Amino acid sequence: MAETVDDKISYFQAVTGISDTDLCTEILAAHNWDLQLAVSSITANPSSPSAPVSTSSRDPAPSAPLADAEFVAPPPPIPPPPQQQPGIAWKLVTLPFYVVSGGASLVAGSFRLGAWVAGGVLSRSLSLLGLAGQAGSGDRLLELPPSAAEAADFVAEFERECGAGRGPRFVAEGFADALQRAQREFKLLFVYLHSPDHPDTPAFCGGCLCAEPVAAFIDENFVAWGGSIRRTEGFKMSNSLNASRFPFCAVVMASTNQRIVLLQQVEGPKSPEEMITILQRVVEECATSLVAARIEAEERLNNQRLREEQDAAYRAALEADQARERERIEEQERREREAVEAEKKRKEEEEAVARAAQEAAEKEAALARRRQEKAMALGAEPEKGPGVTRVLIRFPTGERKERRFHSSATVTSLYDYVDSLDCMKAENYSLVSNFPRVTYGPEKHSLTLEEAGLHPQASLFIEIEQ
């Protein structure tokens, strides 16, 4: 039990920067020795007492998967051998995407989020009124995820303390997103956990991280992510990575099943040369796996592109075949329609010819009946005598016909005579005399031949009416 209490006190001192052992014991006892709750109470209240952090350190121990809502106490501290840098430690640690920090840290986080929103609104309002010189976190959209908001706050705080444009280019996004970015870019992820109250932090940030060779090397070979241990995600990462001494840096890479591979821990102050040496060694040792991952990704991309091209060619060929089949079917249907229409037209023509022939036959029969009726109505031709009129009729064809009529017969009998002859097909015509020219139209049909001036003889011609 004594070892567990000492471990908690040592870890509490390393995280909070309070060197007074009695004060740390009282704070932990007030929180029922709940280390996470005690740290949250300190990081959520900046006015809490602080003192220089103990310089004790220990080697990084292999980390195991963490429970979602349960804190795992770190192993007892072991003094590191002097001047000996830790080698590549391949450790699998669960990526704490959804760790519940506990009731007290949630309440403290809510107060901090409210203060951040209020401060952002106030800063934005002052900027619009021209009363603020620079735009701060208030320019950020409120819809930003909490992890990304914390990362953006850290980047802004780092730039305020170290100067804009100095140091590594930390990504303003959550740890999980930064890890995915590193995986997409085939780089390692450089993690910096910021302890604002640690006495070595300002010198480490200004003298090491902001050194131009270190910043350039990190930007070229890593994706850099930073987080403050006073904030939720930074505190969770310090637990997952077993951060026991600050300043703390780590190099990780993505693994399977939401796990990460811890490649290197860098604890305590380091000179720029030492930092570059450590990072250079990690990059060299991991270069083979990164190159292999890049080649494998390129092969997958090429295979996917080849499959897409093959699928596109297959679809194009299929569409061409379908288009040809549609054209063939359309051509066949067109020919069938034309054949049907031609057959229909042929039948209609045959029916029209049959109707015309039938009508012509009926008309001819009607004319024959009419001629017969007219001939019967005329009666027998009278012999020559004083009461008999001789009439000569010339047809349009030049044919001449002559007949004798009783002088008492009407002009209609002349038309009946013409109609009884099979000399012309016209039905509308008039009988006309030359000298003098007289047309014997319907108004004169009822006159006798003598009344019409045609007795004793007359010469008439037929005039077809148009």
Side-chain angles (χ1 to χ4, degrees):
M1 178 62 184
E3 292 180 356
T4 303
V5 170
D6 292 340
D7 292 342
K8 291 186 177 181
I9 294 175
S10 299
Y11 192 82
F12 185 79
Q13 289 177 326
V15 172
T16 61
I18 302 175
S19 59
D20 191 339
T21 305
D22 295 336
L23 179 59
C24 293
T25 303
E26 293 178 0
I27 295 174
L28 287 170
H31 292 85
N32 294 324
W33 293 95
D34 188 329
L35 181 60
Q36 186 174 359
L37 187 59
V39 172
S40 299
S41 67
I42 296 299
T43 57
N45 296 278
S47 60
S48 298
S50 63
V53 179
S54 174
T55 57
S56 63
S57 62
R58 56 189 175 89
D59 284 341
S63 57
L66 297 178
D68 286 348
E70 179 181 358
F71 175 78
V72 179
I78 303 175
Q83 304 299 326
Q84 182 178 359
Q85 296 295 336
I88 294 295
W90 294 88
K91 311 169 187 179
L92 293 178
V93 295
T94 300
L95 183 63
F97 291 138
Y98 308 106
V99 179
V100 179
S101 298
S105 62
L106 288 177
V107 174
S110 301
F111 280 110
R112 289 197 301 272
L113 179 60
W116 171 77
V117 173
V121 173
L122 179 60
S123 175
R124 182 61 175 171
S125 302
L126 293 177
S127 298
L128 294 176
L129 295 175
L131 299 180
Q134 297 180 348
S137 61
D139 290 335
R140 193 166 61 242
L141 295 177
L142 294 180
E143 289 78 6
L144 203 62
S147 59
E150 291 183 8
D153 289 342
F154 164 75
V155 173
E157 180 183 356
F158 189 88
E159 290 181 351
R160 284 195 303 270
E161 294 179 356
C162 301
R166 298 190 62 203
R169 291 193 299 268
F170 292 104
V171 293
E173 55 193 19
F175 178 82
D177 295 333
L179 190 65
Q180 292 179 359
R181 177 189 294 271
Q183 191 173 14
R184 289 194 304 270
E185 298 179 4
F186 302 101
K187 292 183 177 181
L188 303 177
L189 181 63
F190 176 82
V191 178
Y192 169 60
L193 298 180
H194 186 66
S195 178
D197 298 325
H198 199 282
D200 294 332
T201 296
F204 177 76
C205 292
C208 182
L209 288 184
C210 291
E212 185 175 352
V214 175
F217 186 83
I218 293 176
D219 292 339
E220 180 180 359
N221 298 279
F222 300 89
V223 171
W225 180 86
S228 174
I229 62 172
R230 284 189 171 186
R231 305 302 294 271
T232 303
E233 191 164 33
F235 179 70
K236 292 177 182 178
M237 291 309 303
S238 69
N239 287 338
S240 296
L241 299 176
N242 289 333
S244 60
R245 185 183 178 192
F246 293 90
F248 179 87
C249 301
V251 178
V252 300
M253 67 182 299
S255 181
T256 57
N257 299 328
Q258 292 188 345
R259 288 175 172 266
I260 59 174
V261 178
L262 177 60
L263 303 176
Q264 180 68 52
Q265 286 180 323
V266 183
E267 296 181 305
K270 292 291 183 292
S271 66
E273 293 76 12
E274 292 175 331
M275 179 64 73
I276 292 178
T277 301
I278 296 173
L279 297 180
Q280 178 68 42
R281 176 167 48 80
V282 175
V283 170
E284 291 176 354
E285 293 181 0
C286 296
T288 303
S289 61
L290 292 177
V291 170
R294 182 186 296 274
I295 294 175
E296 182 181 357
E298 291 177 353
E299 290 179 354
R300 286 198 304 269
L301 182 61
N302 293 333
N303 293 334
Q304 181 180 359
R305 186 181 298 110
L306 179 60
R307 286 194 300 271
E308 291 175 353
E309 293 175 353
Q310 292 174 346
D311 292 342
Y314 172 76
R315 287 194 298 270
L318 180 61
E319 291 175 357
D321 293 341
Q322 292 175 346
R324 286 193 294 269
E325 181 65 16
R326 285 195 300 271
E327 291 177 357
R328 186 189 65 79
I329 294 175
E330 291 174 357
E331 179 66 17
Q332 181 179 356
E333 292 177 349
R334 182 184 65 80
R335 292 179 180 178
E336 291 176 355
R337 287 195 302 269
E338 290 178 352
V340 171
E341 292 176 357
E343 180 67 17
K344 181 179 179 181
K345 184 176 181 180
R346 184 185 63 80
K347 290 182 178 180
E348 290 177 352
E349 291 177 351
E350 291 179 353
E351 292 175 356
V353 170
R355 284 196 303 270
Q358 183 178 358
E359 290 174 358
E362 292 175 353
K363 185 176 182 180
E364 184 64 26
L367 289 175
R369 287 194 303 270
R370 182 182 176 187
R371 286 193 297 269
Q372 185 178 3
E373 291 173 357
K374 296 292 184 180
M376 293 177 63
L378 287 174
E381 183 179 6
E383 297 292 336
K384 296 179 180 179
V388 176
T389 302
R390 186 171 65 87
V391 178
L392 177 66
I393 299 176
R394 295 193 302 273
F395 289 87
T397 59
E399 189 177 359
R400 296 169 180 263
K401 293 292 183 179
E402 183 179 345
R403 191 182 189 280
R404 294 182 297 274
F405 297 89
H406 292 286
S407 58
S408 59
T410 62
V411 176
T412 301
S413 61
L414 299 179
Y415 282 92
D416 292 340
Y417 174 67
V418 173
D419 292 338
S420 65
L421 301 175
D422 189 14
C423 295
M424 65 176 188
K425 303 297 183 183
E427 296 182 1
N428 298 324
Y429 62 91
S430 298
L431 295 176
V432 183
S433 61
N434 273 332
F435 302 104
R437 179 178 173 81
V438 179
T439 299
Y440 299 94
E443 70 279 0
K444 295 182 179 182
H445 285 185
S446 60
L447 299 178
T448 63
L449 299 181
E450 186 174 0
E451 292 172 347
L454 298 177
H455 183 73
Q457 62 182 8
S459 178
L460 303 175
F461 66 90
I462 295 176
E463 186 176 75
I464 304 297
E465 298 180 357
Q466 300 297 331

